Amino acid sequence: MPLRLYNTLSGKIEEFRPLADNQVRMYACGPTVYDYGHIGNFRTFIAVDGLRRFLRQSGYQVRHVMNITDVDDKIIRNSARDGVSVKQYTEKYEKAFLEDAETLNIERPQLVRATDHIQDMAKSIALLEKKGFAYRADDGSYYFRIAKFPDYGKLSKKDFAGMEDGARVDVDEYDKDNARDFALWKAAKPGEAFWETPIGPGRPGWHIECSVMSMEELGETFDLHAGGEDLIFPHHENEIAQSEAMTGKPFVHFWFHARFLLVEGEKMSKSLGNFFTLRDLVLKGHKPSSIRFLLASVPYRNQLNFTFDGLKQAAVSVERLRNFQSRLEVGQFPQGTTEPMAELARDTLQRFRAGMEDDLNTAQAQAAIFDMVRKANAAIDAGQLKKDDAAVLLDVLEKFDQIFAVLIDDETEKMKKILEWARSENREKDVSNALLKTVDAQQLSDAAIEQKIAEMEQARRSRKFQSSDAIRAELTAAGIVVENTKDGVRWKRK
């Protein structure tokens, strides 16, 4: 089956086909680097990452470009407040965002920064003025005249029939239904950062940044533009108007928008005390894999209710998958294959892909994998699984993880880095015992753990049960889980 995606522009699910052969040109709105990214942001970035990964798994060559918004109203205001340059202010948060994305196994796209394209933006604004779509205000700012663009509103499906021609809005972000001419260029103000350009000193408005950078990297018309649902209006609506006014061509073929989330049933906000960054959750002791798994578990167009019970269940689910993978890898199975297991692998892969092809139905894809885990575990327990069966089941598990990226257990080092960051930022009061226990588990090397388990087993065989129990307790205290299985003793870090 072909991939079918909901296209915000058409308002319906359509078969996705790239404009040229199997090349997908994809642009995603990235972070505005004025603070640490919160879990609502990362839900969108994980959804886009899953789309990119599935396109690639489906045989497409993907060119994925993402912007870093390193100049906008908030950044200008905050950098002036702190008495630092825009660059100094944003570098800290850009670095943090990229570290957090890596912690969540989000693949890095090609990055473009707004401040590297200021002159190109000024040229585009001059072109819009020449075509009659932009005008210069008395203070030297430039605005887009939306009354000149009859299709304004085609993405957000808002009715702007009663809009007032010439009324302006100066702020980058607004949520009013009645449209206003929006700022393309903001003239320099005393005490604010600005750039010298052919259209005068100042800085770009937020919306023109993405239009210029995306078309510069991907062409005047490209395949797919992604972002959070909060960007549909005004940001993406304004991108369409600017871009199509400049070129006279369709801007983007498919628009992909992920819904934001609730936290414990409520809208996330600092005033409610339910506003969490990735780092906040790790400091509470939650693993990045659990966070990624939970944020990906609900299809991107559905509201996700983020709960701590759900996060604990995600941790159990990831552990179940990892245990199953380990069982297949280390189990001693007889040679050969069985048709029931071969059929299970084929059926699971078909169901997994059918779920993903159905508008990235991640819940359906996960359900297919856990069905396979349950049935294969039962076969192992009954002694009905053979060596070649394990190989085909592992292949299905690998294809699952090419999208969900939770099976590799490399998290302790990532969590340790966030612990070190917390100490450097004087946030030690936020460090949980759970995090300390997880990080402490890393202090024992794999070789040292293997040695202690060998000593424990030797003590048990010599009927020195008190010594054996003492070693097990020592390992448990260090965050090492020791399990006795029919295939021998296994261990893992908590």
Side-chain angles (χ1 to χ4, degrees), residues 289-486:
S289 61
S290 309
I291 300 166
R292 179 178 174 109
F293 190 88
L294 179 58
L295 292 179
S297 63
V298 173
Y300 74 97
R301 284 200 302 124
N302 296 351
Q303 186 103 63
L304 166 64
N305 184 24
F306 185 98
T307 68
F308 285 97
D309 283 344
L311 193 51
K312 290 174 185 174
Q313 184 54 51
V316 171
S317 296
V318 171
E319 201 63 32
R320 187 178 173 202
L321 290 169
R322 289 176 178 174
N323 287 340
F324 177 65
Q325 181 186 43
S326 175
R327 200 174 188 193
L328 292 177
E329 289 174 341
V330 305
Q332 301 298 310
F333 305 114
Q335 293 293 332
T337 184
T338 65
E339 182 52 32
M341 288 298 102
E343 184 180 347
L344 175 62
R346 288 193 298 268
D347 178 63
T348 301
L349 189 56
Q350 188 276 326
R351 288 176 58 200
F352 168 74
R353 286 201 58 84
M356 294 301 293
E357 286 165 349
D358 181 18
D359 198 23
L360 300 189
N361 189 331
T362 50
Q364 185 178 324
Q366 288 181 355
I369 295 298
F370 282 104
D371 259 1
M372 181 186 83
V373 172
R374 177 176 55 81
K375 291 174 181 175
N377 272 329
I380 296 172
D381 292 340
Q384 296 171 352
L385 191 134
K386 296 190 176 180
K387 191 169 185 178
D388 292 343
D389 297 333
V392 295
L393 293 171
L394 281 169
D395 183 62
V396 175
L397 204 57
E398 180 186 355
K399 287 183 169 58
F400 168 84
D401 205 50
Q402 285 172 0
I403 312 302
F404 287 90
V406 295
L407 288 183
I408 297 175
D409 188 358
D410 59 353
E411 300 172 290
T412 307
E413 192 59 36
K414 293 175 178 178
M415 297 172 80
K416 184 179 179 182
K417 287 179 180 177
I418 291 177
L419 173 60
E420 291 167 351
W421 164 82
R423 287 168 171 162
S424 71
E425 294 285 321
N426 296 317
R427 288 193 57 180
E428 285 191 303
K429 62 179 174 52
D430 299 322
V431 176
S432 66
N433 288 331
L435 175 58
L436 292 174
K437 199 167 187 177
T438 300
V439 170
D440 286 344
Q442 190 66 26
Q443 305 308 312
L444 279 174
S445 69
D446 289 1
I449 294 169
E450 295 283 2
Q451 176 63 35
K452 285 187 176 294
I453 287 175
E455 292 171 2
M456 182 184 75
E457 285 296 279
Q458 180 59 46
R460 186 179 61 81
R461 284 192 294 270
S462 301
R463 304 186 65 80
K464 297 178 180 178
F465 298 117
Q466 190 172 359
S467 297
S468 176
D469 290 345
I471 295 171
R472 182 185 286 270
E474 180 186 349
L475 290 168
T476 300
I480 309 301
V481 178
V482 181
E483 300 171 328
N484 293 312
T485 74
K486 67 177 185 178

Side-chain angles (χ1 to χ4, degrees), residues 7 12 28 77 83 119 134 137 170 184 187 234 247 285 300 345 393 444 480:
N7 186 352
K12 59 186 180 182
R77 182 173 61 247
Q119 299 303 324
D170 189 48
L184 296 164
T247 68
Y300 74 97
L393 293 171
L444 279 174
I480 309 301

Side-chain angles (χ1 to χ4, degrees), residues 29-302:
C29 281
T32 301
V33 284
Y34 72 98
D35 206 342
Y36 295 100
H38 58 68
I39 55 174
N41 300 140
F42 281 111
R43 190 206 181 183
T44 297
F45 295 129
I46 287 171
V48 174
D49 184 62
L51 171 61
R52 165 199 171 124
R53 287 168 175 265
F54 188 66
L55 286 169
R56 190 174 62 235
Q57 190 183 81
S58 301
Y60 293 109
Q61 294 181 23
V62 182
R63 184 166 181 215
H64 178 192
V65 177
M66 184 180 77
N67 71 296
I68 300 286
T69 297
D70 56 354
V71 56
D72 85 331
D73 290 346
K74 292 186 290 291
I75 289 169
I76 292 289
R77 182 173 61 247
N78 292 357
S79 61
R81 176 201 66 200
D82 294 351
V84 296
S85 70
V86 166
K87 184 175 178 60
Q88 287 173 313
Y89 183 81
T90 58
E91 275 179 341
K92 171 183 176 180
Y93 295 113
E94 178 181 337
K95 179 175 181 287
F97 169 78
L98 295 176
E99 289 172 350
D100 289 352
E102 185 177 356
T103 297
L104 288 169
N105 289 338
I106 296 172
E107 295 182 336
R108 185 176 298 192
Q110 177 187 339
L111 301 176
V112 288
R113 295 171 182 80
T115 53
D116 292 335
H117 296 81
I118 300 287
Q119 299 303 324
D120 299 321
M121 294 169 197
K123 290 175 187 175
S124 296
I125 293 166
L127 175 61
L128 286 169
E129 183 185 30
K130 184 178 179 181
K131 290 191 167 192
F133 288 98
Y135 60 91
R136 186 178 187 275
D138 292 340
D139 69 348
S141 299
Y142 285 78
Y143 292 84
F144 185 89
R145 194 187 303 278
I146 63 174
K148 282 275 291 181
F149 190 76
D151 283 343
Y152 194 81
K154 65 181 178 179
L155 182 70
S156 59
K157 312 298 186 291
K158 294 178 182 287
D159 180 8
F160 297 116
M163 65 186 178
E164 183 183 350
D165 186 16
R168 297 196 295 264
V169 60
D170 189 48
V171 295
D172 286 334
E173 297 171 288
Y174 53 95
D175 56 7
K176 296 185 184 300
D177 285 348
N178 52 334
R180 297 286 188 269
D181 292 351
F182 57 88
L184 296 164
W185 185 259
K186 300 187 178 187
K189 295 178 182 176
E192 285 191 350
F194 66 90
W195 284 260
E196 290 288 354
T197 73
I199 62 172
R203 59 185 173 91
W206 174 37
H207 312 298
I208 195 67
E209 295 175 2
C210 284
S211 284
V212 170
M213 292 188 291
S214 63
M215 290 195 293
E216 190 169 288
E217 295 295 335
L218 300 174
E220 294 176 340
T221 301
F222 55 93
D223 298 292
L224 192 147
H225 195 313
E229 65 175 342
D230 57 319
L231 300 181
I232 296 172
F233 182 84
H235 184 52
H236 289 162
E237 195 76 72
N238 291 350
E239 277 191 61
I240 291 173
Q242 298 161 156
S243 304
E244 296 187 359
M246 270 189 267
T247 68
K249 300 174 184 177
F251 177 38
V252 174
H253 184 46
F254 260 83
W255 287 86
F256 174 96
H257 290 100
R259 288 201 72 180
F260 261 15
L261 50 72
L262 301 175
V263 176
E264 303 287 355
E266 296 186 293
K267 185 176 179 181
M268 185 169 60
S269 77
K270 290 182 178 178
S271 62
L272 291 174
N274 66 353
F275 183 97
F276 299 109
T277 68
L278 167 69
R279 298 179 183 217
D280 293 333
L281 296 178
V282 171
L283 290 179
K284 291 178 182 294
H286 298 288
K287 290 185 175 182
S289 61
S290 309
I291 300 166
R292 179 178 174 109
F293 190 88
L294 179 58
L295 292 179
S297 63
V298 173
Y300 74 97
R301 284 200 302 124
N302 296 351

